[in-house]
Amino acid sequence: MKEKIVIIGGVAGGASAAARLRRLSEECEIKIFERGDYISYANCGLPYHIGGAIPDRRALLLQTPQRMKERYNVDVKVHHEVTQILPQEKKVKIRDLTSGQEFFESYDKLVIATGSSPIVPPIPGIDLPGIFQVWTVPDTDRIKEYLAEHPIKRAAVIGGGFIGLEMAENLHALGLDVSIVEMADQVMAPLDYEMAKLLHSNIQKNNVSLLLGDGVKEFQKTQEGLRIVLASGAALETDMVILAIGVRPNSKIAADAGIALNARGGIIVDAGMRTGIQDIFAVGDVVEVEDFVDGERTMIPLAGPANKQGRLAADNLLGAREEYAGTQGTSIAKVFDLCAAATGHNEKQLQKQGKIKGKDYDTVMIVQNSHATYYPGAKQMFLKLIYEMDTGRLLGGQAVGSDGVDKRIDALSIAMRFGGGVDDLTRLEIAYAPPFASAKDAVNMLGFVAQNARRGLVKFVPWNITETKEENMVLLDVRTPGEYAEFRIPGAVNIPLDELRSRLGELEREKHYVVICAVGVRAYLAARILSNNAFPQVSIYPGGMTYYRAIQ
Amino acid sequence: MKEKIVIIGGVAGGASAAARLRRLSEECEIKIFERGDYISYANCGLPYHIGGAIPDRRALLLQTPQRMKERYNVDVKVHHEVTQILPQEKKVKIRDLTSGQEFFESYDKLVIATGSSPIVPPIPGIDLPGIFQVWTVPDTDRIKEYLAEHPIKRAAVIGGGFIGLEMAENLHALGLDVSIVEMADQVMAPLDYEMAKLLHSNIQKNNVSLLLGDGVKEFQKTQEGLRIVLASGAALETDMVILAIGVRPNSKIAADAGIALNARGGIIVDAGMRTGIQDIFAVGDVVEVEDFVDGERTMIPLAGPANKQGRLAADNLLGAREEYAGTQGTSIAKVFDLCAAATGHNEKQLQKQGKIKGKDYDTVMIVQNSHATYYPGAKQMFLKLIYEMDTGRLLGGQAVGSDGVDKRIDALSIAMRFGGGVDDLTRLEIAYAPPFASAKDAVNMLGFVAQNARRGLVKFVPWNITETKEENMVLLDVRTPGEYAEFRIPGAVNIPLDELRSRLGELEREKHYVVICAVGVRAYLAARILSNNAFPQVSIYPGGMTYYRAIQ
């Protein structure tokens, strides 16, 4: 019997499933219904097409309905919305969005790959012209048209996540005066606050204004353009608005059909991507997945997982017993001069779960070069590692820098995937030649430093200790007098590292010495000298003056 | 009691051990004896200083004896050669190479970090002026001086390993007419032949002449310069010669002291870096290590392992029980326009061990882009994976390309470190945004393809099938007629993929169809169409026309 497989949605997960199905079988009949105008397009490339980095619009269209027919023998109908799933009768109801006609299509197996849609909150004025979202190719066309037809100077991006920041960067690249409004106190939610601060200062250095901790109350049309009235009462004048405040799963038809959803509207699937109803699978942004780190159920709308789930569902549709092994949420974004990347859990998430730093988990943050310092072009990277206190198991990693950040987060992501711990990081072989890495690479260093912390050889203070200075604390700057004279943290005392051993008599045993240098190498040795000389309270300022200056 | 630790050799492993020792303890006395002029220098940077990429010579000197004293309270004596170890008396005999005086130094614990030295074979004429090795800072000085004083035009590099190729590239960058002579039939021994071929053609495209499968019989002085008489009888006229044919461990003093060596002269150590004699440790190029892949004993002289071993030995010297977990041999080199990287075992090694392809192990080779194809600047990479036949366990990986090769080899190296297999690669989360990777990244694709091969969905022919064509074989080119017309493999038959289903009648079931396209995507689908239509003998040409053309 020729099996008939219907796929609802033809972008990432849906198109992957269809292609894989055809490669596995010439027999089955495969139909995709896509309510939008395009299938399998480069969602993640849209901001770069607007900014001009991807000049050719055709480059965004990875696959066309015609090609899917010719090459994969897959029937694709765009502008066709599935409006109802009838699991009892094993058919779906479809509306042709062009003609308005409705019809039914039967299926033997069904794949729901309806994805997600941008959240459009019910803010007064949200429908005003000049307010856009960036999710589909037509969204992109509309923005480009608007930019072409209106010689505007200003743009505001609402939302400081991946897409918001990529849009801010691309609009800035077009010469616009860009503002970012973000309700949280930081951009890029996957990062912890102190890592996001590195982005904040770089965004501002690029003359993009950043309004944190403020939400939109109303959009108003003005004579010159648009006014954004903020929750704080402030107002922002602009000419165009990009909404990028998050997405929600397109799961209504699934819910209506009696398919179980989670509280956030995600379709609940088993490890084989099967919904609660026989012969109905679901993949991509619309599904709930297992959080790889803690086994909890979560929503992680990312292209990588969607594509992999599509492929895996296809295997299982044809009888395999593959299991999706959870999502870590490994992600990266280019943000002006920097790249920001993360994997696993951050501290905010852990704390929300009631975990306590220094009891349940601990962190280290270090500054490392992207490759051997002596080879030209080495760039500084800020790397943060989060690990379980008892076991040293890796829980998450974060990285901010201008080069080499991607491969270090990949290394952490992979080590985590295998359940790796701090000690494992010390053993990883990162391919080394001067243009590529360091003999003890940044990833190894994260392991070494965390290992030292676990063994009690070093202790770090929080990055903001300089603001919340304890009474008893002395900030001990062990750089050279020249470095100290050039720039220092107010109140820091200078004893150059090379003089420390001979000047121990100047120090008081009852003080808490927080040692700082440029990046941390000298501070580490200085802290060890103090500890080995029986000073009881010695800590290191993480990331040294390099971090401190980067966030000013 | 103040413990006295003597370290023989102050470059990578020795300097690492000293610095770690001091950070662990202010108490112990640490002395380094280094027979050379410098400690802790950037060995791996020397070719780049010669070529000018690292213009400042001081950048090579990572640490000085004076700094080691001031900062680490470590006594360093350069120009001091340890000539004898007396384990019974726990002392070493030292010759001051400047004064010629000899003296004894006692130790409580001893670290042998004598490294390795370039092999200088007893070839007639090897001592002629203009013949150099590249191992130390003075070697580099001599080469730079020679270049400055002699307006030479030609240089020959003997040996096509890392250093040989880096030297060839750097001398070429200086405008010299460079030749490489290599005794094996390929450069870069960590790569298999078909991967090295990619380097061969690129080297030749850079107008560097490459003499493979030929050795040096004699060096002769001529009126204009030097003549290299080759084993084949050919002769090569040049002005300067760089010898880079490998290294051997500096283990004579260890052997004389009764410390056990392996057949290749490597000091035998346990996992804690302890030699067979009480209180004597050894680290770096001079030691034998465990091959991580198969647990055998081997020699892998690389900077990363040396540094890590130095640190680990220091921990153990002071009572820890750390274990070195073996070396995978992960390595990388920039070679003209390409980077070449490898980890684990290659096929040559496996075959030397009697392993058989298709029985004990199998391989896949694929062509992938360094990041999303639609984002500008994506570069093609050639990736090879070697895995165990039964279990799918990863045995090795190789990569050649101009960008993104480092992070893919790191990914394989890390997955291997955790004992990962083919299926694990499909699950790795490589941080994806268009400038950095692909949604299904190259590393995932290696997993997917190998998984398909393991499940019998696809089969690959050897890369050289086009040379050793079987009688029954038809090379089926499924690219467009335009692509086929532009360039094709002689004898290939063209049926464009999109016409294949309708033209199956033209094919004969008893033939072996080897399908080829540009990179492999279309060939994969075409092969599946044939297999699903019950053609019994269907294979794919690995890497497609992209590989075929790259090696022409």
Side-chain angles (χ1 to χ4, degrees):
Chain A
M1 196 203 69
K2 205 166 149 182
E3 197 160 42
K4 181 170 167 186
I5 297 162
V6 169
I7 300 172
I8 314 176
V11 184
S16 283
R20 176 70 174 171
L21 281 168
R22 179 55 73 223
R23 285 193 289 250
L24 292 174
S25 160
E26 281 288 297
E27 281 301 302
C28 58
E29 187 185 347
I30 308 169
K31 292 201 171 205
I32 296 179
F33 295 99
E34 165 57 47
R35 70 174 175 182
D37 306 80
Y38 300 96
I39 56 161
S40 194
Y41 57 87
N43 204 310
C44 305
L46 303 180
Y48 299 98
H49 178 52
I50 293 168
I54 303 172
D56 188 353
R57 182 177 179 281
R58 288 168 303 179
L60 301 173
L61 307 174
L62 308 179
Q63 201 54 272
T64 62
Q66 192 193 344
R67 167 77 62 79
M68 280 301 270
K69 182 66 196 171
E70 285 170 4
R71 184 152 294 180
Y72 288 92
N73 190 23
V74 169
D75 286 309
V76 180
K77 298 262 182 269
V78 291
H79 296 292
H80 279 66
E81 183 170 10
V82 172
T83 56
Q84 201 184 351
I85 301 168
L86 299 100
Q88 297 291 345
E89 302 160 55
K90 291 191 103 169
K91 59 187 189 186
V92 290
K93 189 174 175 184
I94 294 148
R95 180 181 294 130
D96 177 340
L97 296 179
T98 313
S99 69
Q101 285 189 317
E102 293 197 322
F103 59 98
F104 289 92
E105 186 84 36
S106 68
Y107 66 80
D108 294 312
K109 285 185 178 139
L110 183 69
V111 181
I112 304 174
T114 44
S116 56
S117 294
I119 295 168
V120 182
I123 298 169
I126 193 123
D127 294 324
L128 285 171
I131 302 182
F132 300 93
Q133 54 196 39
V134 197
W135 199 243
T136 63
V137 175
D139 288 342
T140 309
D141 293 340
R142 279 188 282 273
I143 293 169
K144 283 186 75 88
E145 261 170 56
Y146 192 83
L147 287 167
E149 288 167 11
H150 301 74
I152 64 169
K153 297 217 167 109
R154 301 165 299 182
V157 175
I158 316 297
F162 295 98
I163 299 170
L165 294 179
E166 286 173 349
M167 278 306 301
E169 183 184 338
N170 277 288
L171 293 171
H172 178 257
L174 291 175
L176 296 185
D177 202 349
V178 178
S179 303
I180 300 169
V181 179
E182 164 61 51
M183 213 184 299
D185 60 353
Q186 65 163 84
V187 300
M188 276 286 276
L191 299 181
D192 283 315
Y193 181 73
E194 80 278 16
M195 297 296 282
K197 255 182 108 60
L198 295 161
L199 301 182
H200 297 170
S201 41
N202 189 260
I203 289 168
Q204 282 157 340
K205 267 177 207 145
N206 278 278
N207 298 315
V208 167
S209 79
L210 187 56
L211 292 97
L212 295 170
D214 211 344
V216 179
K217 214 170 91 185
E218 189 177 350
F219 295 104
Q220 296 172 350
K221 177 132 193 60
T222 63
Q223 288 246 310
E224 296 85 32
L226 290 162
R227 176 177 302 129
I228 307 173
V229 183
L230 299 171
S232 63
L236 181 67
E237 305 294 330
T238 190
D239 302 313
M240 108 185 262
V241 172
I242 305 288
L243 287 176
I245 55 178
V247 295
R248 61 165 58 104
N250 296 322
S251 56
K252 188 174 178 306
I253 50 163
D256 291 346
I259 293 171
L261 306 187
N262 69 9
R264 288 162 67 188
I267 296 177
I268 296 171
V269 290
D270 68 8
M273 307 314 294
R274 294 172 202 88
T275 68
I277 293 182
Q278 180 82 23
D279 294 330
I280 304 184
F281 292 70
V283 300
D285 287 5
V286 76
V287 304
E288 179 190 87
V289 292
E290 185 182 300
D291 181 319
F292 179 80
V293 178
D294 59 15
E296 298 293 319
R297 308 300 296 181
T298 186
M299 305 284 293
I300 302 180
L302 286 172
N307 281 286
K308 288 174 193 162
Q309 290 162 12
R311 184 181 189 276
L312 188 142
D315 286 358
N316 288 346
L317 275 160
L318 298 181
R321 296 240 140 238
E322 294 295 305
E323 300 209 338
Y324 184 72
T327 301
Q328 293 163 254
T330 307
S331 58
I332 189 165
K334 192 172 150 339
V335 185
F336 294 92
D337 311 313
L338 297 173
C339 317
T343 186
H345 283 192
N346 57 35
E347 281 198 75
K348 286 177 297 184
Q349 278 169 285
L350 293 170
Q351 286 167 1
K352 218 176 280 175
Q353 295 175 353
K355 305 262 167 69
I356 296 163
K357 180 164 176 168
K359 179 175 163 282
D360 301 306
Y361 74 91
D362 213 343
T363 72
V364 294
M365 197 273 275
I366 61 174
V367 182
Q368 289 286 305
N369 276 310
S370 54
H371 61 243
T373 312
Y374 60 79
Y375 189 85
K379 300 273 189 264
Q380 281 178 324
M381 305 179 292
F382 298 85
L383 301 171
K384 177 173 179 173
L385 185 72
I386 305 174
Y387 54 92
E388 213 162 53
M389 201 71 185
D390 292 357
T391 62
R393 184 173 76 100
L394 308 182
L395 298 174
Q398 297 165 42
V400 174
S402 58
D403 186 42
V405 151
D406 52 341
K407 81 173 178 183
R408 272 59 179 216
I409 278 296
D410 289 344
L412 296 180
S413 160
I414 297 168
M416 281 181 62
R417 177 57 62 170
F418 288 99
V422 160
D423 292 347
D424 293 306
L425 294 187
T426 67
R427 298 185 195 114
L428 300 184
E429 290 188 15
I430 303 299
Y432 167 59
F436 303 101
S438 300
K440 282 183 198 146
D441 190 66
V443 174
N444 303 129
M445 292 307 295
L446 272 177
F448 288 134
V449 174
Q451 205 177 52
N452 285 337
R454 278 168 61 73
R455 292 178 187 172
L457 290 174
V458 291
K459 234 171 114 174
F460 292 93
V461 288
W463 67 276
N464 56 355
I465 194 115
T466 50
E467 292 163 17
T468 62
K469 230 172 137 175
E470 347 155 355
E471 191 100 332
N472 192 38
M473 187 184 99
V474 177
L475 200 55
L476 180 63
D477 189 330
V478 297
R479 296 175 303 154
T480 64
E483 289 172 282
Y484 177 78
E486 192 241 327
F487 184 81
R488 63 180 171 262
I489 297 175
V493 171
N494 182 229
I495 299 182
L497 171 58
D498 293 349
E499 298 173 16
L500 184 61
R501 282 190 187 86
S502 58
R503 292 175 62 182
L504 289 175
E506 296 173 29
L507 305 180
E508 300 165 67
R509 286 189 189 271
E510 58 278 11
K511 295 283 188 195
H512 174 197
Y513 286 99
V514 174
V515 192
I516 188 165
C517 67
V519 295
V521 178
R522 284 176 286 178
Y524 169 32
L525 178 55
R528 293 300 306 151
I529 291 172
L530 294 179
S531 294
N532 282 329
N533 279 286
F535 283 81
Q537 295 178 77
V538 182
S539 310
I540 295 171
Y541 184 81
M545 294 301 293
T546 304
Y547 176 76
Y548 182 83
R549 295 181 81 159
I551 59 166
Q552 298 308 307
Chain B
M1 195 201 73
K2 205 166 151 182
E3 197 160 41
K4 181 170 169 187
I5 298 161
V6 170
I7 301 171
I8 313 176
V11 184
S16 283
R20 176 69 175 171
L21 280 167
R22 178 57 71 224
R23 284 193 291 249
L24 292 174
S25 160
E26 281 287 298
E27 280 301 302
C28 59
E29 186 183 349
I30 308 168
K31 293 202 172 207
I32 296 179
F33 295 98
E34 165 58 47
R35 70 174 175 184
D37 307 80
Y38 301 97
I39 56 161
S40 193
Y41 58 87
N43 204 310
C44 305
L46 302 181
Y48 298 99
H49 178 54
I50 293 168
I54 303 172
D56 187 354
R57 181 178 180 279
R58 287 168 302 178
L60 301 173
L61 307 173
L62 308 179
Q63 201 55 271
T64 61
Q66 192 192 345
R67 166 77 62 78
M68 279 302 268
K69 183 65 197 172
E70 285 169 3
R71 185 152 294 180
Y72 289 91
N73 189 24
V74 169
D75 286 310
V76 180
K77 297 262 182 270
V78 291
H79 297 290
H80 278 68
E81 182 169 11
V82 173
T83 55
Q84 200 184 353
I85 301 167
L86 299 99
Q88 297 292 344
E89 300 160 55
K90 292 192 100 167
K91 59 187 187 184
V92 290
K93 189 174 177 185
I94 295 148
R95 180 181 295 130
D96 178 338
L97 297 179
T98 314
S99 68
Q101 285 190 317
E102 292 196 323
F103 59 97
F104 289 91
E105 185 85 37
S106 68
Y107 65 81
D108 293 311
K109 286 183 179 142
L110 183 69
V111 181
I112 304 174
T114 43
S116 56
S117 294
I119 295 168
V120 182
I123 299 169
I126 193 120
D127 294 322
L128 284 171
I131 302 182
F132 301 93
Q133 56 196 39
V134 197
W135 200 242
T136 63
V137 175
D139 288 342
T140 309
D141 294 340
R142 278 188 283 272
I143 294 169
K144 282 185 77 84
E145 260 171 55
Y146 192 84
L147 287 167
E149 287 167 12
H150 301 76
I152 64 169
K153 296 215 167 108
R154 301 165 300 182
V157 175
I158 315 296
F162 295 97
I163 300 169
L165 294 178
E166 287 173 349
M167 278 307 300
E169 183 183 339
N170 277 290
L171 293 171
H172 177 258
L174 291 176
L176 296 185
D177 201 350
V178 178
S179 304
I180 301 169
V181 179
E182 164 60 52
M183 213 184 300
D185 60 353
Q186 65 163 84
V187 300
M188 276 286 277
L191 299 182
D192 282 316
Y193 181 73
E194 81 277 17
M195 297 296 283
K197 255 183 107 62
L198 295 162
L199 301 181
H200 297 170
S201 40
N202 189 261
I203 289 168
Q204 282 156 340
K205 268 176 207 148
N206 278 279
N207 298 315
V208 168
S209 79
L210 187 56
L211 292 97
L212 295 170
D214 212 344
V216 178
K217 215 171 91 185
E218 190 178 349
F219 295 104
Q220 296 172 349
K221 176 130 194 60
T222 63
Q223 288 247 311
E224 295 87 31
L226 292 161
R227 176 177 301 129
I228 307 173
V229 183
L230 298 172
S232 63
L236 180 67
E237 305 293 329
T238 191
D239 303 314
M240 108 185 262
V241 173
I242 305 289
L243 287 176
I245 55 177
V247 295
R248 62 164 56 106
N250 296 323
S251 56
K252 190 175 177 304
I253 49 164
D256 290 346
I259 293 171
L261 306 187
N262 68 10
R264 290 160 67 188
I267 296 176
I268 295 171
V269 290
D270 68 9
M273 308 312 296
R274 293 171 201 89
T275 69
I277 293 181
Q278 181 81 23
D279 293 329
I280 305 184
F281 292 70
V283 299
D285 287 5
V286 76
V287 304
E288 179 191 86
V289 292
E290 184 182 300
D291 182 319
F292 179 81
V293 178
D294 59 15
E296 298 292 319
R297 308 300 296 183
T298 186
M299 304 284 293
I300 302 180
L302 286 171
N307 280 286
K308 288 174 192 164
Q309 289 161 13
R311 184 180 189 277
L312 188 143
D315 285 358
N316 288 345
L317 275 160
L318 297 182
R321 296 241 143 236
E322 295 293 307
E323 301 210 337
Y324 184 72
T327 300
Q328 292 163 254
T330 307
S331 58
I332 189 166
K334 191 172 152 338
V335 185
F336 295 93
D337 311 313
L338 297 173
C339 318
T343 185
H345 283 193
N346 57 34
E347 283 198 74
K348 288 175 297 184
Q349 279 171 285
L350 292 169
Q351 286 165 3
K352 217 176 280 173
Q353 296 176 353
K355 304 261 166 69
I356 296 164
K357 181 165 176 167
K359 181 174 160 286
D360 301 306
Y361 73 91
D362 212 343
T363 72
V364 294
M365 197 273 276
I366 61 175
V367 182
Q368 290 285 306
N369 276 309
S370 55
H371 61 244
T373 312
Y374 60 78
Y375 190 86
K379 301 273 189 266
Q380 281 179 324
M381 307 178 292
F382 298 86
L383 302 171
K384 177 173 178 174
L385 184 72
I386 306 174
Y387 55 91
E388 212 163 52
M389 200 71 184
D390 293 356
T391 61
R393 185 173 74 101
L394 309 182
L395 297 174
Q398 297 166 42
V400 174
S402 58
D403 185 42
V405 151
D406 52 340
K407 81 173 177 182
R408 272 59 177 218
I409 278 296
D410 290 343
L412 296 180
S413 160
I414 297 168
M416 282 181 63
R417 176 59 61 173
F418 287 99
V422 160
D423 293 346
D424 293 305
L425 293 187
T426 69
R427 296 185 197 114
L428 299 185
E429 290 188 14
I430 303 299
Y432 167 58
F436 303 101
S438 300
K440 282 183 198 148
D441 190 65
V443 174
N444 302 129
M445 293 307 295
L446 273 178
F448 288 135
V449 174
Q451 204 177 53
N452 285 337
R454 279 168 60 74
R455 292 178 188 172
L457 291 175
V458 291
K459 233 172 112 174
F460 292 93
V461 289
W463 69 275
N464 56 355
I465 194 114
T466 51
E467 292 163 18
T468 62
K469 228 171 138 176
E470 347 155 356
E471 192 101 333
N472 191 39
M473 186 184 100
V474 178
L475 199 56
L476 180 63
D477 188 329
V478 297
R479 296 175 303 154
T480 63
E483 288 172 282
Y484 177 77
E486 193 241 325
F487 184 81
R488 61 180 172 263
I489 298 176
V493 171
N494 181 228
I495 300 183
L497 171 58
D498 294 348
E499 298 173 17
L500 184 60
R501 282 190 188 85
S502 58
R503 291 174 62 182
L504 289 175
E506 296 172 30
L507 305 180
E508 299 166 67
R509 286 190 188 272
E510 57 278 12
K511 295 283 190 197
H512 174 198
Y513 286 99
V514 174
V515 193
I516 188 165
C517 67
V519 295
V521 177
R522 284 175 289 178
Y524 170 32
L525 179 55
R528 293 300 306 151
I529 291 172
L530 294 179
S531 294
N532 282 329
N533 280 285
F535 282 82
Q537 297 178 76
V538 182
S539 308
I540 295 171
Y541 183 81
M545 294 300 293
T546 304
Y547 176 76
Y548 182 83
R549 295 181 81 158
I551 59 166
Q552 298 308 306

